[in-house]
Amino acid sequence: MGVNEHSFWQDRSVFVTGATGLLGSWLVTELVAQGASVVALIRDRIPFSLLYANGLNQKIASVSGDIQDYMLLERTLAEYEVSVVFHLAAQTQVLVANRSPLSTFESNIRGTYLLLEACRKHPLLKAVVVASSDKAYGSSDHLPYDEETPLRGQYPYDASKSCADLISNSYARNFDMPVSVTRCGNLYGGGDLNFARIVPGTIRSVHQGKAPVIRTDGTLIRDYFYVRDAVLAYMMLAERTVTGNRRGDAYNFSSGTPLSVLEITAQILKAMGREDLRPVVLGENRGEIKDQWLGTAKARQELGWEPRFTLQEALSETIDWYRDYFAKTEGTLDRAAVVA
């Protein structure tokens, strides 16, 4: 979508944390396309991030630092006269969280309340959208999750998201702050270079003519949510937070089509014309909830939101992105693909 003078985002000052990640880089891309003035918090420079690969970093302001640096956050909001904040910065890898819970809690919990405290003191603030996760719900016998499902994450990553989610609601309710929360399924799309994830890992294996390796037993059920749909959902929620004066609302966003790991793998094999490759299943299920998927009735009814892309369209675009990427970088990535 291109810039137009009637865009809600035209010339609006927007602060994005976690801007080098999969969602962050696609979000910044769309915000810039719609005319926003973006300032991004960047802890590590990741050369293969879309933020740099597309030259997008030349079109935005960037602040180097960590989400746990309170004075940096307060200064950034003030100096750039920020109106809308998208808080995406987090340690997002479940296996890393299991190995390193302390750094996960520091980033995901402390980073969230420090940002919200800086936002509380910022007089120009119109909206904060905080990225939670379907993992915040923890394990439940009642599926799909709706927004009234209790938050009771048990594993380190899940617990960190439950805490950040509750803290966001506390700031919204107690301090009358325009904070909204997103709870999304597993994101995928071009630009995700974490090949331990099921979608990019499978695509790379198939591109190399190898059978994909599935770390679990393949029966885990998840929502697989295309990143471009997620971007539009985040931006719609931010706009509604500003115009609808929302306080503390949380919304599930997902494709609405839960799939097992084996099923999403089969869809990728079909899309790439390699159904002859049979996945290698390791059966190593540890530290993960078995089945999770989200109900999106609230977002559809209150926001008028719905996903734009079918699974086939999303996978086609994603596969095309990786084929182009591999053609440019062949031989530079040769680690074995062991996926979720």
Side-chain angles (χ1 to χ4, degrees), residues 73-87:
L73 298 173
E74 192 173 82
R75 177 185 70 79
T76 300
L77 294 174
E79 291 189 1
Y80 289 92
E81 300 182 324
V82 170
S83 170
V84 174
V85 175
F86 290 98
H87 177 42

Side-chain angles (χ1 to χ4, degrees), residues 201-217:
T202 298
I203 292 172
R204 186 175 71 167
S205 292
V206 175
H207 176 77
Q208 295 172 342
K210 301 175 182 177
V213 179
I214 296 175
R215 174 177 50 79
T216 67
D217 64 8

Side-chain angles (χ1 to χ4, degrees), residues 78-130:
E79 291 189 1
Y80 289 92
E81 300 182 324
V82 170
S83 170
V84 174
V85 175
F86 290 98
H87 177 42
L88 313 179
Q91 198 299 102
T92 62
Q93 304 306 308
V94 171
L95 295 180
V96 173
N98 289 341
R99 292 194 301 267
S100 184
L102 178 59
S103 63
T104 299
F105 293 150
E106 289 289 297
S107 175
N108 296 7
I109 302 173
R110 188 166 185 264
T112 297
Y113 69 66
L114 289 177
L115 176 63
L116 289 170
E117 179 63 14
C119 289
R120 184 177 71 86
K121 297 180 178 180
H122 181 54
L124 302 180
L125 186 74
K126 299 298 182 184
V128 184
V129 176
V130 176

Side-chain angles (χ1 to χ4, degrees), residues 24-246:
S25 58
W26 280 98
L27 176 61
V28 171
T29 299
E30 186 63 26
L31 287 168
V32 169
Q34 294 202 31
S37 298
V38 177
V39 55
L41 178 66
I42 299 174
R43 186 189 67 178
D44 301 321
R45 189 184 186 282
I46 303 173
F48 291 113
S49 167
L50 293 179
L51 199 68
Y52 300 104
N54 293 343
L56 198 61
N57 59 308
Q58 302 297 322
K59 301 177 181 180
I60 64 173
S62 61
V63 176
S64 299
D66 193 277
I67 190 64
Q68 298 176 58
D69 186 340
Y70 175 78
M71 295 308 297
L72 176 68
L73 298 173
E74 192 173 82
R75 177 185 70 79
T76 300
L77 294 174
E79 291 189 1
Y80 289 92
E81 300 182 324
V82 170
S83 170
V84 174
V85 175
F86 290 98
H87 177 42
L88 313 179
Q91 198 299 102
T92 62
Q93 304 306 308
V94 171
L95 295 180
V96 173
N98 289 341
R99 292 194 301 267
S100 184
L102 178 59
S103 63
T104 299
F105 293 150
E106 289 289 297
S107 175
N108 296 7
I109 302 173
R110 188 166 185 264
T112 297
Y113 69 66
L114 289 177
L115 176 63
L116 289 170
E117 179 63 14
C119 289
R120 184 177 71 86
K121 297 180 178 180
H122 181 54
L124 302 180
L125 186 74
K126 299 298 182 184
V128 184
V129 176
V130 176
S132 183
S133 168
D134 58 351
K135 306 295 187 295
Y137 290 116
S139 183
S140 175
D141 294 330
H142 302 286
L143 293 170
Y145 302 126
D146 63 30
E147 288 81 356
E148 299 305 313
T149 302
L151 304 180
R152 51 186 185 189
Q154 176 181 353
Y155 301 113
Y157 174 75
D158 307 10
S160 75
K161 284 300 185 179
S162 296
C163 290
D165 200 313
L166 290 167
I167 289 167
S168 299
N169 183 270
S170 177
Y171 265 88
R173 304 298 183 188
N174 287 288
F175 304 109
D176 192 33
M177 288 175 57
V179 180
S180 296
V181 173
T182 65
R183 299 171 186 156
C184 297
N186 291 9
L187 296 179
Y188 70 93
D192 183 2
L193 300 182
N194 180 357
F195 291 100
R197 290 195 179 114
I198 182 66
V199 173
T202 298
I203 292 172
R204 186 175 71 167
S205 292
V206 175
H207 176 77
Q208 295 172 342
K210 301 175 182 177
V213 179
I214 296 175
R215 174 177 50 79
T216 67
D217 64 8
T219 65
L220 304 184
I221 296 176
R222 296 288 187 267
D223 279 310
Y224 293 95
F225 191 35
Y226 188 37
V227 66
R228 292 184 63 193
D229 269 327
V231 164
L232 297 175
Y234 271 73
M235 292 175 67
M236 174 181 280
L237 181 55
E239 185 171 347
R240 297 292 193 275
T241 302
V242 174
T243 60
N245 198 33
R246 297 181 183 277

Side-chain angles (χ1 to χ4, degrees), residues 40 49 71 108 118 129 138 215 230 243 282 298 312 314 321-322 324 339:
S49 167
M71 295 308 297
N108 296 7
V129 176
R215 174 177 50 79
T243 60
L282 300 182
K298 182 179 178 182
Q312 290 71 29
W321 187 93
Y322 283 104
D324 181 64
V339 296

